[in-house]
Amino acid sequence: VIQRLAGADVRVIDPAAAVARELGRRLQHAGLAAPAGGPAASVTFWTSGDVQQAARVMQTLWGQPVRPRPLS
């Protein structure tokens, strides 16, 4: 979408892979990385807004059903 909006003369760079590698290095250095072959991490979504509306948006972005918890 961004490339289409920016046009062919603009180079769009996706830094996601580099950011993920750096995060991995930092987690290893801090002793916070999960052990290889360990259990999968769990994910919890929280919202300060309307839970049902947040669930619709989060499910669209996450690509699977999401049950956000209210912060209040």
Side-chain angles (χ1 to χ4, degrees):
V1 172
I2 295 171
Q3 185 67 68
R4 190 179 76 235
L5 293 172
D9 294 336
V10 176
R11 183 173 179 196
V12 176
I13 299 170
D14 182 357
V19 170
R21 284 191 302 274
E22 180 62 21
L23 175 60
R25 281 192 289 272
R26 289 180 183 222
L27 290 172
Q28 286 287 343
H29 181 71
L32 298 173
S42 63
V43 177
T44 304
F45 293 91
W46 297 87
T47 181
S48 60
D50 179 75
V51 173
Q52 291 179 344
Q53 180 182 10
R56 286 191 299 273
V57 173
M58 291 174 184
Q59 286 175 182
T60 299
L61 296 172
W62 194 245
Q64 54 187 306
V66 171
R67 286 190 188 166
R69 296 181 182 180
L71 283 174
S72 55

